[in-house]
Amino acid sequence: MQDQRVLVTGGAGFIGSNLANRLAQNNDVVVVDDCYLGTPENLDDGVAFHDRSVLDDDLPTDVDVVFHLAALSSYAMHEEEPRRGARVNVEGFVNVVDQARQDGCDTVVYASTSSIYGSRTEPSPEDMAVTVNTGYEASKLARERYAEYFSNHYGMSLSGLRFFSVYQGYGGAEEHKGEYANVIAQFADDIVNGESPVLYGDGTQTRDFTHVSDIVSGIQLAAEHRLDGVYNVGTGERYSFNEVVDLLNEELGTNVEPEYVENPIPESVYVHDTCADYSKLNAATGWEPEIDFETGIELVCSPY
Protein backbone atom coordinates (compact mmCIF):
# COMPACT_ATOMS: atom_id res chain seq x y z
CA MET A 1 0.00 0.00 0.00
CA GLN A 2 1.52 3.34 -1.01
CA ASP A 3 0.76 6.94 -1.94
CA GLN A 4 -2.56 6.87 -0.10
CA ARG A 5 -3.98 9.27 2.45
CA VAL A 6 -5.25 7.21 5.39
CA LEU A 7 -6.84 7.77 8.77
CA VAL A 8 -6.09 5.48 11.72
CA THR A 9 -8.44 5.95 14.67
CA GLY A 10 -6.99 4.75 17.93
CA GLY A 11 -3.74 5.22 16.07
CA ALA A 12 -1.64 6.07 19.14
CA GLY A 13 -2.56 2.78 20.81
CA PHE A 14 -0.95 -0.64 20.60
CA ILE A 15 -2.13 -2.02 17.27
CA GLY A 16 -2.91 1.42 15.87
CA SER A 17 0.59 2.85 16.30
CA ASN A 18 2.21 -0.24 14.81
CA LEU A 19 -0.09 0.15 11.80
CA ALA A 20 0.34 3.92 11.50
CA ASN A 21 4.13 3.76 11.71
CA ARG A 22 4.34 1.07 9.05
CA LEU A 23 1.93 2.85 6.72
CA ALA A 24 3.75 6.16 7.16
CA GLN A 25 6.77 4.75 5.32
CA ASN A 26 4.86 5.03 2.01
CA ASN A 27 1.64 6.92 2.74
CA ASP A 28 0.22 10.12 4.22
CA VAL A 29 -1.03 8.99 7.64
CA VAL A 30 -3.35 10.89 9.97
CA VAL A 31 -4.07 9.58 13.47
CA VAL A 32 -7.02 10.37 15.74
CA ASP A 33 -6.70 9.28 19.38
CA ASP A 34 -8.07 10.71 22.64
CA CYS A 35 -5.14 9.22 24.59
CA TYR A 36 -7.37 7.12 26.86
CA LEU A 37 -5.29 4.05 25.96
CA GLY A 38 -2.82 5.46 23.47
CA THR A 39 0.03 7.92 23.70
CA PRO A 40 1.50 10.04 20.88
CA GLU A 41 4.98 8.96 21.98
CA ASN A 42 4.23 5.68 20.20
CA LEU A 43 4.15 7.44 16.84
CA ASP A 44 6.94 8.22 14.41
CA ASP A 45 7.57 11.83 13.34
CA GLY A 46 5.99 11.29 9.93
CA VAL A 47 2.51 10.67 11.40
CA ALA A 48 0.09 13.59 11.82
CA PHE A 49 -1.48 13.28 15.28
CA HIS A 50 -4.85 14.72 16.37
CA ASP A 51 -5.95 14.52 20.01
CA ARG A 52 -9.60 13.94 19.19
CA SER A 53 -12.42 11.58 20.09
CA VAL A 54 -14.17 9.38 17.54
CA LEU A 55 -17.38 10.95 18.85
CA ASP A 56 -16.33 14.39 17.59
CA ASP A 57 -17.67 16.20 14.55
CA ASP A 58 -15.44 17.29 11.66
CA LEU A 59 -12.95 14.45 11.92
CA PRO A 60 -10.18 14.22 9.26
CA THR A 61 -12.06 11.59 7.22
CA ASP A 62 -11.28 13.06 3.80
CA VAL A 63 -9.01 10.10 3.07
CA ASP A 64 -8.67 7.09 0.78
CA VAL A 65 -8.94 4.51 3.56
CA VAL A 66 -10.11 4.56 7.18
CA PHE A 67 -8.62 2.09 9.64
CA HIS A 68 -10.95 2.18 12.63
CA LEU A 69 -9.22 0.68 15.66
CA ALA A 70 -10.39 3.06 18.41
CA ALA A 71 -12.28 1.21 21.15
CA LEU A 72 -12.66 0.49 24.80
CA SER A 73 -10.90 -2.81 24.40
CA SER A 74 -11.52 -4.97 27.44
CA TYR A 75 -14.22 -6.67 29.46
CA ALA A 76 -13.34 -4.66 32.57
CA MET A 77 -13.62 -1.28 30.85
CA HIS A 78 -17.14 -2.07 29.66
CA GLU A 79 -18.30 -3.41 33.00
CA GLU A 80 -17.02 -0.26 34.72
CA GLU A 81 -18.58 2.13 32.19
CA PRO A 82 -21.12 0.28 29.99
CA ARG A 83 -22.67 3.43 28.54
CA ARG A 84 -19.29 4.88 27.66
CA GLY A 85 -18.33 1.55 26.10
CA ALA A 86 -21.39 1.62 23.88
CA ARG A 87 -20.84 5.25 22.92
CA VAL A 88 -17.18 4.82 21.98
CA ASN A 89 -17.38 1.39 20.38
CA VAL A 90 -20.72 1.67 18.60
CA GLU A 91 -21.65 5.33 18.23
CA GLY A 92 -18.00 6.21 17.58
CA PHE A 93 -17.85 3.61 14.82
CA VAL A 94 -21.02 4.90 13.15
CA ASN A 95 -19.81 8.48 13.49
CA VAL A 96 -16.44 7.81 11.85
CA VAL A 97 -17.82 5.68 9.03
CA ASP A 98 -20.63 8.11 8.23
CA GLN A 99 -18.26 11.08 8.13
CA ALA A 100 -15.95 9.07 5.87
CA ARG A 101 -18.90 8.24 3.60
CA GLN A 102 -19.87 11.89 3.35
CA ASP A 103 -16.27 12.79 2.50
CA GLY A 104 -16.19 10.24 -0.33
CA CYS A 105 -14.19 7.48 1.36
CA ASP A 106 -15.66 4.05 0.64
CA THR A 107 -13.05 1.72 2.16
CA VAL A 108 -13.00 0.98 5.89
CA VAL A 109 -11.13 -1.69 7.84
CA TYR A 110 -12.20 -2.00 11.47
CA ALA A 111 -11.43 -4.03 14.56
CA SER A 112 -13.91 -6.66 15.69
CA THR A 113 -13.10 -9.47 18.14
CA SER A 114 -12.67 -13.24 18.30
CA SER A 115 -14.27 -13.28 21.77
CA ILE A 116 -17.71 -13.72 20.23
CA TYR A 117 -16.80 -17.31 19.32
CA GLY A 118 -16.74 -18.21 23.01
CA SER A 119 -14.45 -20.96 24.27
CA ARG A 120 -13.28 -23.32 21.54
CA THR A 121 -10.24 -25.53 21.20
CA GLU A 122 -10.97 -26.20 17.51
CA PRO A 123 -10.33 -23.47 14.92
CA SER A 124 -13.32 -21.11 14.69
CA PRO A 125 -14.59 -20.24 11.18
CA GLU A 126 -16.34 -16.94 10.49
CA ASP A 127 -19.64 -18.59 9.56
CA MET A 128 -20.15 -20.40 12.86
CA ALA A 129 -22.82 -19.21 15.28
CA VAL A 130 -21.60 -16.53 17.68
CA THR A 131 -22.84 -15.42 21.07
CA VAL A 132 -22.60 -12.26 23.14
CA ASN A 133 -21.91 -12.58 26.86
CA THR A 134 -20.28 -9.23 27.65
CA GLY A 135 -20.72 -5.57 26.82
CA TYR A 136 -17.41 -5.61 24.97
CA GLU A 137 -18.57 -8.45 22.72
CA ALA A 138 -21.94 -6.79 22.17
CA SER A 139 -20.26 -3.58 21.02
CA LYS A 140 -18.05 -5.39 18.51
CA LEU A 141 -20.93 -7.43 17.10
CA ALA A 142 -22.91 -4.19 16.77
CA ARG A 143 -20.05 -2.82 14.66
CA GLU A 144 -20.34 -5.79 12.34
CA ARG A 145 -24.06 -5.20 11.91
CA TYR A 146 -23.62 -1.49 11.24
CA ALA A 147 -20.86 -2.32 8.77
CA GLU A 148 -23.31 -4.61 6.98
CA TYR A 149 -25.75 -1.70 6.81
CA PHE A 150 -23.18 0.72 5.35
CA SER A 151 -22.12 -1.92 2.84
CA ASN A 152 -25.63 -2.86 1.72
CA HIS A 153 -27.14 0.62 1.80
CA TYR A 154 -24.25 2.72 0.50
CA GLY A 155 -22.07 0.25 -1.39
CA MET A 156 -19.05 0.81 0.85
CA SER A 157 -16.40 -1.84 1.47
CA LEU A 158 -16.06 -2.56 5.18
CA SER A 159 -13.94 -5.42 6.45
CA GLY A 160 -14.23 -6.38 10.10
CA LEU A 161 -11.20 -8.21 11.40
CA ARG A 162 -11.72 -10.56 14.32
CA PHE A 163 -8.32 -10.36 15.99
CA PHE A 164 -7.03 -13.22 18.10
CA SER A 165 -4.89 -12.36 21.19
CA VAL A 166 -2.53 -9.77 19.74
CA TYR A 167 0.83 -9.48 21.49
CA GLN A 168 4.15 -7.67 21.49
CA GLY A 169 6.60 -6.88 24.27
CA TYR A 170 6.94 -3.67 26.22
CA GLY A 171 9.64 -2.84 23.70
CA GLY A 172 6.69 -2.09 21.42
CA ALA A 173 3.81 0.23 22.25
CA GLU A 174 2.07 -1.12 25.35
CA GLU A 175 4.14 -0.35 28.44
CA HIS A 176 2.08 2.73 29.33
CA LYS A 177 -1.12 0.63 29.43
CA GLY A 178 -0.11 -1.28 32.57
CA GLU A 179 -2.82 -3.77 33.54
CA TYR A 180 -4.47 -3.39 30.13
CA ALA A 181 -1.37 -4.43 28.19
CA ASN A 182 -1.30 -7.85 26.49
CA VAL A 183 -0.60 -10.68 28.92
CA ILE A 184 2.65 -11.79 27.28
CA ALA A 185 4.19 -8.34 27.72
CA GLN A 186 3.01 -8.28 31.34
CA PHE A 187 4.30 -11.79 32.07
CA ALA A 188 7.71 -11.07 30.53
CA ASP A 189 8.16 -7.85 32.48
CA ASP A 190 7.13 -9.52 35.73
CA ILE A 191 9.59 -12.36 35.22
CA VAL A 192 12.47 -10.04 34.36
CA ASN A 193 11.81 -8.13 37.58
CA GLY A 194 11.67 -11.33 39.64
CA GLU A 195 7.93 -11.06 40.20
CA SER A 196 5.52 -13.93 39.72
CA PRO A 197 3.21 -13.46 36.75
CA VAL A 198 -0.40 -13.71 37.90
CA LEU A 199 -2.44 -16.41 36.15
CA TYR A 200 -6.18 -16.82 36.51
CA GLY A 201 -7.30 -20.27 37.60
CA ASP A 202 -4.81 -23.04 36.89
CA GLY A 203 -3.17 -21.46 33.85
CA THR A 204 -4.48 -24.07 31.41
CA GLN A 205 -6.52 -21.55 29.40
CA THR A 206 -5.24 -21.25 25.85
CA ARG A 207 -5.03 -18.41 23.36
CA ASP A 208 -4.25 -18.08 19.69
CA PHE A 209 -1.43 -15.59 20.23
CA THR A 210 -0.83 -13.52 17.09
CA HIS A 211 2.11 -11.14 16.80
CA VAL A 212 1.17 -7.55 16.10
CA SER A 213 3.27 -7.41 12.93
CA ASP A 214 1.15 -10.20 11.43
CA ILE A 215 -1.99 -8.37 12.51
CA VAL A 216 -0.76 -5.21 10.78
CA SER A 217 -0.07 -7.15 7.59
CA GLY A 218 -3.60 -8.54 7.66
CA ILE A 219 -5.07 -5.08 8.15
CA GLN A 220 -3.14 -3.70 5.19
CA LEU A 221 -4.12 -6.56 2.91
CA ALA A 222 -7.79 -6.16 3.84
CA ALA A 223 -7.61 -2.54 2.69
CA GLU A 224 -5.64 -3.26 -0.48
CA HIS A 225 -8.16 -5.93 -1.51
CA ARG A 226 -11.14 -3.80 -0.41
CA LEU A 227 -12.58 -6.74 1.47
CA ASP A 228 -16.16 -6.72 2.67
CA GLY A 229 -17.53 -8.78 5.56
CA VAL A 230 -15.74 -10.36 8.52
CA TYR A 231 -12.39 -12.16 8.59
CA ASN A 232 -10.34 -13.91 11.25
CA VAL A 233 -6.76 -12.85 11.85
CA GLY A 234 -4.98 -15.50 13.90
CA THR A 235 -2.43 -18.29 13.60
CA GLY A 236 -4.54 -21.42 13.98
CA GLU A 237 -2.36 -22.52 16.92
CA ARG A 238 -2.90 -22.08 20.64
CA TYR A 239 -0.73 -22.05 23.75
CA SER A 240 -1.67 -22.16 27.43
CA PHE A 241 -0.67 -19.44 29.87
CA ASN A 242 1.46 -22.04 31.66
CA GLU A 243 3.31 -22.73 28.40
CA VAL A 244 3.83 -19.00 27.89
CA VAL A 245 5.47 -18.66 31.31
CA ASP A 246 7.69 -21.69 30.63
CA LEU A 247 8.81 -20.31 27.25
CA LEU A 248 9.53 -16.88 28.72
CA ASN A 249 11.58 -18.38 31.54
CA GLU A 250 13.52 -20.47 29.06
CA GLU A 251 14.25 -17.49 26.79
CA LEU A 252 15.15 -15.17 29.68
CA GLY A 253 17.22 -17.75 31.55
CA THR A 254 15.05 -17.41 34.63
CA ASN A 255 13.00 -19.73 36.81
CA VAL A 256 10.16 -17.61 38.14
CA GLU A 257 7.05 -19.52 39.21
CA PRO A 258 3.63 -18.05 38.41
CA GLU A 259 1.06 -17.09 41.03
CA TYR A 260 -2.36 -18.64 40.55
CA VAL A 261 -5.38 -16.62 41.65
CA GLU A 262 -9.13 -17.02 41.46
CA ASN A 263 -10.47 -15.76 38.16
CA PRO A 264 -12.20 -12.40 38.78
CA ILE A 265 -14.20 -12.83 35.57
CA PRO A 266 -17.27 -15.07 35.96
CA GLU A 267 -16.71 -18.50 34.43
CA SER A 268 -20.02 -18.14 32.58
CA VAL A 269 -18.53 -15.38 30.42
CA TYR A 270 -14.79 -16.08 30.55
CA VAL A 271 -13.34 -17.24 27.26
CA HIS A 272 -11.11 -20.18 28.21
CA ASP A 273 -9.76 -21.16 24.78
CA THR A 274 -9.43 -19.52 21.37
CA CYS A 275 -8.14 -20.70 18.01
CA ALA A 276 -8.51 -19.13 14.57
CA ASP A 277 -9.48 -20.57 11.24
CA TYR A 278 -7.83 -18.00 8.97
CA SER A 279 -8.55 -19.78 5.68
CA LYS A 280 -11.05 -17.13 4.52
CA LEU A 281 -8.50 -14.30 4.80
CA ASN A 282 -5.87 -16.51 3.22
CA ALA A 283 -8.12 -17.29 0.24
CA ALA A 284 -8.98 -13.61 -0.25
CA THR A 285 -5.51 -12.10 0.15
CA GLY A 286 -2.90 -14.83 0.56
CA TRP A 287 -2.27 -13.72 4.16
CA GLU A 288 -0.48 -16.16 6.44
CA PRO A 289 1.16 -15.59 9.83
CA GLU A 290 4.90 -15.16 9.40
CA ILE A 291 6.05 -15.08 13.03
CA ASP A 292 5.84 -18.43 14.80
CA PHE A 293 5.27 -18.30 18.54
CA GLU A 294 8.80 -19.23 19.57
CA THR A 295 10.16 -16.40 17.41
CA GLY A 296 7.55 -14.07 18.86
CA ILE A 297 8.70 -14.92 22.39
CA GLU A 298 12.27 -14.13 21.36
CA LEU A 299 11.15 -10.74 20.04
CA VAL A 300 9.30 -10.00 23.28
CA CYS A 301 12.36 -10.85 25.36
CA SER A 302 15.07 -9.31 23.16
CA PRO A 303 14.91 -5.77 24.67
CA TYR A 304 15.79 -7.24 28.06
Side-chain angles (χ1 to χ4, degrees), residues 130-159:
V130 296
T131 57
V132 166
N133 295 309
T134 68
Y136 170 66
E137 294 165 2
S139 71
K140 291 303 185 78
L141 192 59
R143 283 186 174 190
E144 293 185 4
R145 291 295 173 260
Y146 269 105
E148 186 177 12
Y149 151 66
F150 279 108
S151 174
N152 290 340
H153 196 75
Y154 294 109
M156 300 176 69
S157 297
L158 297 98
S159 48

Short mmCIF file of all heavy atoms in Angstrom, two decimals, residues 130-159:
data_model
loop_
_atom_site.label_atom_id
_atom_site.label_comp_id
_atom_site.label_asym_id
_atom_site.label_seq_id
_atom_site.Cartn_x
_atom_site.Cartn_y
_atom_site.Cartn_z
N VAL A 130 -22.31 -17.28 16.65
CA VAL A 130 -21.60 -16.53 17.68
C VAL A 130 -22.57 -16.10 18.77
O VAL A 130 -23.78 -16.02 18.54
CB VAL A 130 -20.87 -15.31 17.10
CG1 VAL A 130 -19.80 -15.74 16.12
CG2 VAL A 130 -21.86 -14.35 16.43
N THR A 131 -22.02 -15.84 19.95
CA THR A 131 -22.84 -15.42 21.07
C THR A 131 -22.22 -14.18 21.71
O THR A 131 -21.03 -13.91 21.54
CB THR A 131 -22.94 -16.52 22.14
OG1 THR A 131 -21.62 -16.89 22.56
CG2 THR A 131 -23.65 -17.75 21.59
N VAL A 132 -23.05 -13.46 22.44
CA VAL A 132 -22.60 -12.26 23.14
C VAL A 132 -22.85 -12.43 24.63
O VAL A 132 -24.00 -12.60 25.05
CB VAL A 132 -23.32 -11.01 22.60
CG1 VAL A 132 -23.11 -9.83 23.53
CG2 VAL A 132 -22.84 -10.66 21.20
N ASN A 133 -21.79 -12.42 25.41
CA ASN A 133 -21.91 -12.58 26.86
C ASN A 133 -21.44 -11.36 27.64
O ASN A 133 -21.62 -11.31 28.85
CB ASN A 133 -21.10 -13.80 27.31
CG ASN A 133 -21.65 -15.10 26.77
OD1 ASN A 133 -22.84 -15.37 26.90
ND2 ASN A 133 -20.80 -15.91 26.16
N THR A 134 -20.80 -10.41 26.97
CA THR A 134 -20.28 -9.23 27.65
C THR A 134 -20.59 -7.98 26.85
O THR A 134 -20.89 -8.05 25.65
CB THR A 134 -18.74 -9.33 27.82
OG1 THR A 134 -18.12 -9.23 26.53
CG2 THR A 134 -18.34 -10.63 28.49
N GLY A 135 -20.50 -6.83 27.52
CA GLY A 135 -20.72 -5.57 26.82
C GLY A 135 -19.70 -5.34 25.73
O GLY A 135 -20.02 -4.79 24.67
N TYR A 136 -18.46 -5.75 25.98
CA TYR A 136 -17.41 -5.61 24.97
C TYR A 136 -17.77 -6.38 23.71
O TYR A 136 -17.70 -5.84 22.60
CB TYR A 136 -16.10 -6.12 25.55
CG TYR A 136 -14.98 -6.27 24.55
CD1 TYR A 136 -14.43 -5.16 23.92
CD2 TYR A 136 -14.48 -7.53 24.23
CE1 TYR A 136 -13.40 -5.30 22.99
CE2 TYR A 136 -13.45 -7.67 23.31
CZ TYR A 136 -12.91 -6.55 22.70
OH TYR A 136 -11.90 -6.69 21.77
N GLU A 137 -18.20 -7.63 23.88
CA GLU A 137 -18.57 -8.45 22.72
C GLU A 137 -19.78 -7.86 22.01
O GLU A 137 -19.84 -7.85 20.77
CB GLU A 137 -18.85 -9.88 23.18
CG GLU A 137 -17.62 -10.60 23.71
CD GLU A 137 -17.93 -11.86 24.49
OE1 GLU A 137 -19.13 -12.22 24.60
OE2 GLU A 137 -17.00 -12.49 25.01
N ALA A 138 -20.75 -7.39 22.78
CA ALA A 138 -21.94 -6.79 22.17
C ALA A 138 -21.57 -5.59 21.30
O ALA A 138 -22.11 -5.41 20.20
CB ALA A 138 -22.92 -6.36 23.26
N SER A 139 -20.63 -4.79 21.78
CA SER A 139 -20.26 -3.58 21.02
C SER A 139 -19.56 -3.95 19.71
O SER A 139 -19.76 -3.29 18.69
CB SER A 139 -19.35 -2.70 21.87
OG SER A 139 -18.05 -3.26 22.04
N LYS A 140 -18.75 -5.00 19.73
CA LYS A 140 -18.05 -5.39 18.51
C LYS A 140 -18.99 -6.05 17.51
O LYS A 140 -18.86 -5.85 16.30
CB LYS A 140 -16.87 -6.32 18.86
CG LYS A 140 -15.73 -5.62 19.60
CD LYS A 140 -15.20 -4.45 18.79
CE LYS A 140 -13.98 -3.79 19.43
NZ LYS A 140 -12.75 -4.54 19.22
N LEU A 141 -19.95 -6.84 18.00
CA LEU A 141 -20.93 -7.43 17.10
C LEU A 141 -21.83 -6.34 16.50
O LEU A 141 -22.22 -6.42 15.33
CB LEU A 141 -21.77 -8.48 17.82
CG LEU A 141 -22.64 -9.37 16.93
CD1 LEU A 141 -21.79 -10.13 15.91
CD2 LEU A 141 -23.46 -10.35 17.77
N ALA A 142 -22.13 -5.32 17.29
CA ALA A 142 -22.91 -4.19 16.77
C ALA A 142 -22.16 -3.51 15.63
O ALA A 142 -22.76 -3.10 14.63
CB ALA A 142 -23.20 -3.19 17.89
N ARG A 143 -20.84 -3.38 15.76
CA ARG A 143 -20.05 -2.82 14.66
C ARG A 143 -20.24 -3.63 13.38
O ARG A 143 -20.39 -3.06 12.30
CB ARG A 143 -18.57 -2.83 15.03
CG ARG A 143 -18.12 -1.77 15.98
CD ARG A 143 -16.60 -1.82 16.13
NE ARG A 143 -16.13 -0.71 16.94
CZ ARG A 143 -14.84 -0.39 17.08
NH1 ARG A 143 -13.91 -1.10 16.46
NH2 ARG A 143 -14.49 0.63 17.84
N GLU A 144 -20.20 -4.95 13.53
CA GLU A 144 -20.34 -5.79 12.34
C GLU A 144 -21.69 -5.58 11.68
O GLU A 144 -21.80 -5.59 10.44
CB GLU A 144 -20.13 -7.26 12.72
CG GLU A 144 -18.71 -7.57 13.18
CD GLU A 144 -18.50 -9.06 13.44
OE1 GLU A 144 -19.44 -9.85 13.20
OE2 GLU A 144 -17.39 -9.43 13.89
N ARG A 145 -22.73 -5.40 12.47
CA ARG A 145 -24.06 -5.20 11.91
C ARG A 145 -24.17 -3.82 11.25
O ARG A 145 -24.78 -3.68 10.19
CB ARG A 145 -25.12 -5.37 13.00
CG ARG A 145 -25.24 -6.81 13.49
CD ARG A 145 -25.76 -7.71 12.38
NE ARG A 145 -25.74 -9.12 12.77
CZ ARG A 145 -24.80 -9.98 12.43
NH1 ARG A 145 -23.78 -9.58 11.67
NH2 ARG A 145 -24.86 -11.24 12.80
N TYR A 146 -23.61 -2.81 11.86
CA TYR A 146 -23.62 -1.49 11.24
C TYR A 146 -22.77 -1.48 9.98
O TYR A 146 -23.11 -0.80 8.99
CB TYR A 146 -23.15 -0.42 12.23
CG TYR A 146 -24.27 0.20 13.02
CD1 TYR A 146 -24.47 -0.13 14.35
CD2 TYR A 146 -25.16 1.10 12.41
CE1 TYR A 146 -25.52 0.42 15.08
CE2 TYR A 146 -26.21 1.65 13.13
CZ TYR A 146 -26.38 1.32 14.46
OH TYR A 146 -27.43 1.86 15.17
N ALA A 147 -21.68 -2.22 9.97
CA ALA A 147 -20.86 -2.32 8.77
C ALA A 147 -21.65 -2.95 7.64
O ALA A 147 -21.57 -2.53 6.48
CB ALA A 147 -19.60 -3.13 9.06
N GLU A 148 -22.45 -3.97 7.98
CA GLU A 148 -23.31 -4.61 6.98
C GLU A 148 -24.30 -3.59 6.40
O GLU A 148 -24.55 -3.57 5.19
CB GLU A 148 -24.05 -5.78 7.63
CG GLU A 148 -24.85 -6.63 6.67
CD GLU A 148 -25.49 -7.82 7.38
OE1 GLU A 148 -25.50 -7.85 8.63
OE2 GLU A 148 -25.99 -8.71 6.67
N TYR A 149 -24.83 -2.75 7.26
CA TYR A 149 -25.75 -1.70 6.81
C TYR A 149 -25.06 -0.73 5.85
O TYR A 149 -25.58 -0.44 4.76
CB TYR A 149 -26.31 -0.95 8.04
CG TYR A 149 -26.67 0.49 7.81
CD1 TYR A 149 -27.72 0.84 6.96
CD2 TYR A 149 -25.96 1.50 8.46
CE1 TYR A 149 -28.05 2.18 6.76
CE2 TYR A 149 -26.30 2.83 8.26
CZ TYR A 149 -27.34 3.17 7.41
OH TYR A 149 -27.66 4.49 7.21
N PHE A 150 -23.89 -0.23 6.22
CA PHE A 150 -23.18 0.72 5.35
C PHE A 150 -22.81 0.06 4.02
O PHE A 150 -22.84 0.71 2.97
CB PHE A 150 -21.93 1.24 6.04
CG PHE A 150 -22.20 2.35 7.02
CD1 PHE A 150 -22.10 2.12 8.39
CD2 PHE A 150 -22.54 3.62 6.59
CE1 PHE A 150 -22.33 3.14 9.30
CE2 PHE A 150 -22.79 4.65 7.50
CZ PHE A 150 -22.68 4.41 8.87
N SER A 151 -22.47 -1.20 4.06
CA SER A 151 -22.12 -1.92 2.84
C SER A 151 -23.33 -2.09 1.93
O SER A 151 -23.29 -1.78 0.74
CB SER A 151 -21.52 -3.28 3.19
OG SER A 151 -21.30 -4.04 2.02
N ASN A 152 -24.44 -2.58 2.52
CA ASN A 152 -25.63 -2.86 1.72
C ASN A 152 -26.34 -1.59 1.25
O ASN A 152 -26.85 -1.52 0.12
CB ASN A 152 -26.61 -3.72 2.53
CG ASN A 152 -26.11 -5.12 2.75
OD1 ASN A 152 -25.24 -5.61 2.02
ND2 ASN A 152 -26.63 -5.80 3.77
N HIS A 153 -26.37 -0.59 2.10
CA HIS A 153 -27.14 0.62 1.80
C HIS A 153 -26.36 1.61 0.95
O HIS A 153 -26.94 2.30 0.09
CB HIS A 153 -27.58 1.28 3.11
CG HIS A 153 -28.67 2.30 2.93
ND1 HIS A 153 -29.98 1.95 2.68
CD2 HIS A 153 -28.64 3.66 2.96
CE1 HIS A 153 -30.71 3.04 2.58
NE2 HIS A 153 -29.93 4.10 2.73
N TYR A 154 -25.05 1.69 1.17
CA TYR A 154 -24.25 2.72 0.50
C TYR A 154 -23.17 2.17 -0.42
O TYR A 154 -22.45 2.94 -1.07
CB TYR A 154 -23.59 3.63 1.54
CG TYR A 154 -24.59 4.47 2.33
CD1 TYR A 154 -24.83 4.18 3.66
CD2 TYR A 154 -25.27 5.53 1.73
CE1 TYR A 154 -25.74 4.94 4.40
CE2 TYR A 154 -26.18 6.28 2.45
CZ TYR A 154 -26.41 5.98 3.79
OH TYR A 154 -27.32 6.73 4.50
N GLY A 155 -23.06 0.84 -0.50
CA GLY A 155 -22.07 0.25 -1.39
C GLY A 155 -20.63 0.43 -0.95
O GLY A 155 -19.71 0.35 -1.77
N MET A 156 -20.41 0.67 0.33
CA MET A 156 -19.05 0.81 0.85
C MET A 156 -18.43 -0.57 1.09
O MET A 156 -19.15 -1.57 1.23
CB MET A 156 -19.06 1.59 2.17
CG MET A 156 -19.61 3.00 2.06
SD MET A 156 -19.72 3.84 3.66
CE MET A 156 -17.98 4.07 4.05
N SER A 157 -17.12 -0.61 1.13
CA SER A 157 -16.40 -1.84 1.47
C SER A 157 -15.92 -1.72 2.91
O SER A 157 -15.09 -0.87 3.22
CB SER A 157 -15.20 -2.04 0.54
OG SER A 157 -15.63 -2.22 -0.80
N LEU A 158 -16.45 -2.58 3.77
CA LEU A 158 -16.06 -2.56 5.18
C LEU A 158 -15.65 -3.97 5.61
O LEU A 158 -16.48 -4.89 5.56
CB LEU A 158 -17.20 -2.07 6.07
CG LEU A 158 -17.67 -0.63 5.84
CD1 LEU A 158 -18.91 -0.60 4.97
CD2 LEU A 158 -17.94 0.05 7.19
N SER A 159 -14.41 -4.13 5.99
CA SER A 159 -13.94 -5.42 6.45
C SER A 159 -13.69 -5.38 7.95
O SER A 159 -12.94 -4.54 8.46
CB SER A 159 -12.66 -5.84 5.72
OG SER A 159 -11.71 -4.81 5.69
#
